[in-house]
Amino acid sequence: MTTSERLIESTRELLWERGYVGTSPKAILERAGAGQGSMYHHFKGKPDLALAAIRRTAEELRAGAAGVLHGPGTPYERIEAYLTREREVLRGCPIGRLTMDPDVVASEELREPVDETLDWLREQLAGIVEEGKEQGQFGPELDGEAIAATVVATVQGGYVLARASGSPADFDAGVRGLLGLLAPRSAV
Amino acid sequence: MTTSERLIESTRELLWERGYVGTSPKAILERAGAGQGSMYHHFKGKPDLALAAIRRTAEELRAGAAGVLHGPGTPYERIEAYLTREREVLRGCPIGRLTMDPDVVASEELREPVDETLDWLREQLAGIVEEGKEQGQFGPELDGEAIAATVVATVQGGYVLARASGSPADFDAGVRGLLGLLAPRSAV
């Protein structure tokens, strides 16, 4: 790995573990095993490096979610697959957690990839709910965009529950509740 | 206000704005207008002061939620009142946001009041769902504890959506989706 790559990967890890506010340039250099000057050689500074790291994490998250959301199955099954796919629940969401970071939220540049990723996710889910309505799997009264927001919120809030208790089962409980409410009428 | 009170109130504000990792003893003293030695005079240190601050915030959150959850209305109306009650959405949840703080999650002592508060909230909500089932407002297939987790997760994740976009409407969308799914059958 090049130094620039090592810096980006170390920043991604630290942002996930400690957030932006909790990640010092010194900690990044130490983890990357890089010298003092190398950050400023490759990047304009911590915000610039963080932006590269966040963008890469966002791309990965999107690719992973797309595989499930646009995979096989009925609309309900694809939403179920998204909600129950394997996650490192106790680590939280590497993108969503950044919204609790005051310096990320205060920076339009750093917030942008976070906002775009969650928006993209909601659009995909809203499309799937609409598909399910057309197929009669979901009731016509359901609001696709609102349900999509609920699905993403349940995942993001599920991380909060699990990290509070230290148990992934609390993430699963929120997902189970939502799936029970979403269950196709024909299956009840 | 006594110095001890000012220290607690300043810490509560800073924890909400910047989290535990992002809050230095220096920033607390500055905001409290207190001298260098006063923190160690009244508290054992930052963790001890943070614990007092988190406990007080947790108490307030509980009292506010109890007013709505145990207020007037049918079970559905009380859940609706909880989901739609006035919130400073863009500030996030002062308790939930602490779960994204690595030093809070790593400390059993600091995590305890966070976990207890979310647990208490889920118990109240689960009881209300069970009440609604007995009254025939909710279907017998609903799992009260799971629905309670979904309700709390939707609120916590709603903050994530709103802070990502900078718009409280994104919190409201998640809540609207969940209320649509929970709507009593007789009302459909």
Side-chain angles (χ1 to χ4, degrees):
Chain A
M1 261 205 276
T2 63
T3 305
S4 160
E5 274 299 303
R6 288 207 315 277
L7 286 168
I8 292 178
E9 289 303 316
S10 301
T11 304
R12 291 178 64 197
E13 288 172 18
L14 284 164
L15 287 179
W16 197 354
E17 289 165 25
R18 303 198 50 82
Y20 184 84
V21 165
T23 297
S24 65
K26 197 178 155 223
I28 296 171
L29 292 171
E30 268 176 25
R31 187 165 300 200
Q36 281 230 346
S38 66
M39 191 171 101
Y40 289 93
H41 178 71
H42 294 284
F43 300 95
K44 273 177 266 166
K46 178 179 153 185
D48 189 40
L49 174 51
L51 186 60
I54 295 171
R55 283 196 179 136
R56 189 173 296 176
T57 298
E59 266 166 42
E60 266 189 20
L61 191 146
R62 245 159 116 138
V68 174
L69 293 170
H70 303 308
T74 65
Y76 176 80
E77 283 164 355
R78 279 146 60 204
I79 293 174
E80 184 182 30
Y82 169 69
L83 283 166
T84 58
R85 81 197 184 100
E86 218 179 301
R87 286 181 171 88
E88 297 180 86
V89 166
L90 292 182
R91 294 184 74 187
C93 174
I95 288 298
R97 68 107 65 231
L98 294 169
T99 62
M100 294 305 141
D101 220 306
D103 293 357
V104 171
V105 168
S107 155
E108 233 170 278
E109 217 181 359
L110 293 178
R111 192 166 55 77
E112 194 186 38
V114 175
D115 188 25
E116 272 182 11
T117 305
L118 295 173
D119 254 5
W120 172 86
L121 205 46
R122 286 165 64 183
E123 270 169 40
Q124 311 310 304
L125 285 160
I128 294 173
V129 173
E130 292 304 327
E131 224 180 285
K133 282 164 69 175
E134 280 160 30
Q135 296 176 16
Q137 201 178 23
F138 297 131
E141 76 287 358
L142 290 195
D143 174 341
E145 284 182 20
I147 300 291
T150 308
V151 170
V152 177
T154 299
V155 168
Q156 293 297 327
Y159 288 119
V160 170
L161 300 186
R163 283 175 64 92
S165 67
S167 163
D170 290 299
F171 179 98
D172 300 339
V175 163
R176 196 168 63 246
L178 182 57
L179 285 173
L181 293 171
L182 269 175
R185 279 138 194 252
S186 55
V188 171
Chain B
M1 262 207 275
T2 64
T3 305
S4 160
E5 274 299 302
R6 288 209 313 277
L7 286 168
I8 293 178
E9 289 304 315
S10 301
T11 304
R12 292 178 62 197
E13 288 171 20
L14 284 163
L15 287 178
W16 197 354
E17 288 165 25
R18 304 197 50 83
Y20 185 84
V21 165
T23 296
S24 65
K26 197 179 155 221
I28 295 171
L29 292 171
E30 269 176 24
R31 187 165 300 201
Q36 281 230 346
S38 67
M39 191 170 103
Y40 290 93
H41 178 70
H42 294 284
F43 300 94
K44 273 178 265 167
K46 178 180 154 185
D48 188 39
L49 174 51
L51 186 59
I54 295 171
R55 282 196 180 136
R56 188 172 297 176
T57 298
E59 267 166 41
E60 266 189 20
L61 191 146
R62 246 158 116 139
V68 175
L69 292 170
H70 304 310
T74 65
Y76 175 80
E77 283 164 356
R78 279 146 62 203
I79 293 174
E80 184 182 30
Y82 170 70
L83 284 166
T84 58
R85 81 194 184 103
E86 219 178 299
R87 285 182 173 86
E88 296 181 84
V89 166
L90 293 182
R91 294 183 75 187
C93 174
I95 289 297
R97 68 108 63 230
L98 295 170
T99 62
M100 294 305 142
D101 219 305
D103 293 357
V104 171
V105 168
S107 155
E108 234 171 275
E109 217 181 359
L110 293 178
R111 190 166 56 76
E112 195 187 37
V114 175
D115 188 24
E116 272 182 12
T117 306
L118 296 173
D119 253 6
W120 173 86
L121 205 47
R122 286 164 64 182
E123 270 169 39
Q124 311 309 305
L125 285 160
I128 295 172
V129 174
E130 292 305 327
E131 224 180 287
K133 282 164 69 174
E134 280 160 29
Q135 296 176 16
Q137 201 177 22
F138 297 132
E141 77 287 356
L142 290 196
D143 174 342
E145 284 183 21
I147 300 291
T150 308
V151 170
V152 177
T154 299
V155 168
Q156 294 297 327
Y159 289 119
V160 170
L161 300 185
R163 282 176 63 92
S165 66
S167 164
D170 290 299
F171 179 98
D172 300 340
V175 163
R176 197 168 61 245
L178 181 57
L179 284 173
L181 293 171
L182 269 175
R185 280 140 193 251
S186 56
V188 171

